[in-house]
Amino acid sequence: QKEVEQDPGPLSVPEGAIVSLNCTYSNSAFQYFMWYRQYSRKGPELLMYTYSSGNKEDGRFTAQVDKSSKYISLFIRDSQPSDSATYLCAMSGDSGGSNYKLTFGKGTLLTVNP
Amino acid sequence: DGGITQSPKYLFRKEGQNVTLSCEQNLNHDAMYWYRQDPGQGLRLIYYSQIVNDFQKGDIAEGYSVSREKKESFPLTVTSAQKNPTAFYLCASTWTHQETQYFGPGTRLLVL
């Protein structure tokens, strides 16, 4: 079983739709959870960061972490064509002391059609 | 402007040639990282450095080398021993004990 699983998509939605992106993980020591957005041929940019379980909202974006299920989600409300990108989940907090290393999902390619 | 810069944007390597990718940051970050991104593979860690003059191998260090002589700079050399170097290379940096990492724009390496 891979440490982090992420559905690669591609996911295609109409403008204005609610988008749900998800990752599951196997390492129960993960405590820090991130979502990065990567436009084509660009470096990833940090979108959301959460610590432990719970929700965090920032504008149209909501990140959820459920540590009991080892499941994290990113919701995008009122999706826009400018949201078209690859979304990468990342996490860290290995109890072995390597909390400086991020483990990434493979990314989900999202297209929002006008 | 503060940020992370990578150069060149595109790099072409001939068989048997070593090439060096540049990564510079002026954010006063302590830690720096190199990742490789292949289609469908996600980001894989090559090397990382948490302090000047010290660095550690990541998950796929074979065929690569790094140096960290200055806090601002963390160049990556792709040696001739790396048999499949074609990929998108990303440099990242952050402060000590900070979980989130910040990425540069990337360098695309192609083999002639």
Side-chain angles (χ1 to χ4, degrees):
Chain A
Q1 181 186 13
K2 294 190 187 300
E3 267 199 305
V4 178
E5 300 269 12
Q6 182 175 8
D7 186 340
L11 182 61
S12 181
V13 301
E15 183 175 354
I18 297 175
V19 176
S20 172
L21 303 167
N22 312 293
C23 288
T24 59
Y25 63 95
S26 57
N27 188 343
S28 58
F30 286 148
Q31 300 179 68
Y32 305 92
F33 303 92
M34 283 141 268
W35 286 96
Y36 286 85
R37 177 174 62 195
Q38 185 177 24
Y39 291 114
S40 181
R41 302 179 187 276
K42 304 290 186 183
E45 57 179 318
L46 180 66
L47 200 57
M48 299 287 283
Y49 167 63
T50 52
Y51 169 70
S52 195
S53 285
N55 294 358
K56 185 173 184 178
E57 187 173 322
D58 184 1
R60 296 185 294 110
F61 299 90
T62 299
Q64 286 186 352
V65 175
D66 181 350
K67 290 190 69 179
S68 62
S69 302
K70 297 190 181 67
Y71 188 87
I72 69 170
S73 300
L74 178 70
F75 297 96
I76 307 174
R77 291 184 297 281
D78 187 25
S79 56
Q80 302 295 309
S82 58
D83 295 327
S84 298
T86 296
Y87 290 80
L88 301 159
C89 64
M91 47 199 79
S92 70
D94 188 342
S95 60
S98 57
N99 62 351
Y100 43 77
K101 290 175 65 176
L102 292 181
T103 302
F104 286 86
K106 292 185 176 181
T108 299
L109 177 61
L110 170 67
T111 300
V112 180
N113 301 298
Chain B
D1 285 340
I4 304 168
T5 58
Q6 290 187 243
S7 63
K9 188 173 182 179
Y10 295 95
L11 186 57
F12 298 91
R13 195 191 91 163
K14 296 179 182 178
E15 289 287 336
Q17 186 181 37
N18 293 354
V19 292
T20 298
L21 285 62
S22 169
C23 178
E24 304 274 335
Q25 54 92 7
N26 60 4
L27 301 168
N28 200 31
H29 286 169
D30 307 293
M32 298 186 73
Y33 306 80
W34 274 105
Y35 292 90
R36 170 179 171 142
Q37 187 175 34
D38 297 276
Q41 292 289 326
L43 273 67
R44 293 184 289 169
L45 182 64
I46 303 173
Y47 268 97
Y48 62 96
S49 168
Q50 293 184 281
I51 194 170
V52 173
N53 292 323
D54 188 43
F55 48 82
Q56 283 77 41
K57 293 181 179 179
D59 302 316
I60 55 164
E62 185 175 351
Y64 300 97
S65 65
V66 293
S67 63
R68 186 86 187 276
E69 297 177 0
K70 297 187 301 181
K71 186 176 183 178
E72 303 79 23
S73 178
F74 192 39
L76 173 74
T77 297
V78 183
T79 74
S80 57
Q82 173 49 244
K83 297 306 180 188
N84 185 22
T86 297
F88 190 44
Y89 290 86
L90 289 160
C91 177
S93 67
T94 191
W95 293 278
T96 301
H97 305 305
Q98 173 89 16
E99 299 299 329
T100 53
Q101 295 177 17
Y102 301 89
F103 286 85
T107 292
R108 189 163 299 276
L109 176 60
L110 300 166
V111 176
L112 294 176

